Amino acid sequence: MRKPLYHAAWMLCCLIGMMPACGGGPTLKQAYEKDFLIGAALNLDQIEGRDTRALALVEEHFNSITPENILKWEAVHPEPDRYHFEPADRFVALGEKNGMYLVGHTLVWQAQTPRWVFEDGSGKPADRVLLLERMRSHIRTVMGRYKGRIHAWDVVNEALDDDGSMRKSPWFNIIGEDYVRKAFEFAREADPDAELIYNDYNLWKPEKAAAVVRLIEGLRAAGVAVDGIGEQAHWGLDYPPLDDLESSLRAFASTGVKVMITEMDVSPLPNPWNYTGADIMFNVEIQKKLNPYPEALPDSMQQKLAARYGEFFALFHKYGGPVSRVTLWGVNDGQSWLNHWPMRGRTNYPLLFDRNYAPKPAFDAVIRAAR
Ligand code: XIL
């Protein structure tokens, strides 16, 4: 909750039009209109129109949307012969009504993918031929349905480990290293005009950044064009180091493909594990000391968070050519996945709008960074 004094001051500023997002300043998408698209990930309540306050913010501030879950394999293709397209149809209609740039997330990933995908009919591991056929028909069916309407796809998510080697996922184990190339080939076949993205976390780490560059160049040499590198950007107050981030942006820009910040949130909560990744399987036991601000984020922490957001956006602004989109992973703090991950039941504050849908100091810092 906003502190009463701060809230009163905010309301007053709104009334006299001094604050952005209250009619007095640019919206997020206006502030960055010369630089890049500003996106938000939407949950089901938003896509289905129940969360009208979030939708109002989305329409005001954002010109791109990504569905947080409903296009993942387990949601859109829960059984071998059953696809569930209704939520995705609504997502696309919502984006089209607002003339937004639509992102499909995600086609080939090891998580949120049903077990049957990697098995044959009798519960034994699928072989390469079967899994490739499944991958192709999933991509053709899902992308094909929204051909020309969903503008970009996270074709492959998280294929690399932090040291730059290939992640030993079921996709890798069953198909082999060329599963990434195959996924991009099938995606190009399904919608030749869509922008095709390789998406991952920790891409600012020098070894992983170098591995992505090798991956993109290797694919290009094999005749497969990737259009964008997606850096998830689930970050914290003390990572990533700005120097590493900048070097990685520079390296990605040098490949000639677009750079997209695809899932940004910045957690101000303690991270005692020195873990900077976003593997959804990483899980820690519930501990009170990891949830230090169950009621409100103290002002000093708000300021730290704001400063951090300001630094990141200043850097994106500097790379406004290659950086073509920055998407926040959620609309308001109460809706962020970081309230449940890596520990359930935390109260986190990683986004630009608070639980009352009001802009935070971090929002103002982001607007300032565009100047
Ligand atoms: C998260 C969603 O936000 C949660 O609602 C869900 O329970 C788990 O997945 N990297 C990704 C996203 O690529 O798909 C993940 O989204 C966050 C990490």
Side-chain angles (χ1 to χ4, degrees), residues 68-69 72 105 109 112 157-158 232 234 263 278 329 337:
E68 190 176 350
N69 286 301
K72 291 174 181 172
H105 175 77
W109 189 23
Q112 294 184 272
N157 201 24
E158 301 177 357
Q232 290 186 8
H234 299 291
E263 307 182 13
W329 203 240
W337 76 300

Side-chain angles (χ1 to χ4, degrees), residues 40-44 46-47 65-72 91 103 105-106 109 112 263 265 328-331 335-338 340:
L42 302 191
N43 65 25
L44 196 58
Q46 292 152 356
I47 291 166
I65 50 176
T66 307
E68 190 176 350
N69 286 301
I70 53 122
L71 274 173
K72 291 174 181 172
F91 165 81
V103 183
H105 175 77
T106 175
W109 189 23
Q112 294 184 272
E263 307 182 13
D265 41 35
L328 279 298
W329 203 240
V331 178
Q335 302 163 330
S336 164
W337 76 300
L338 296 177
H340 318 291

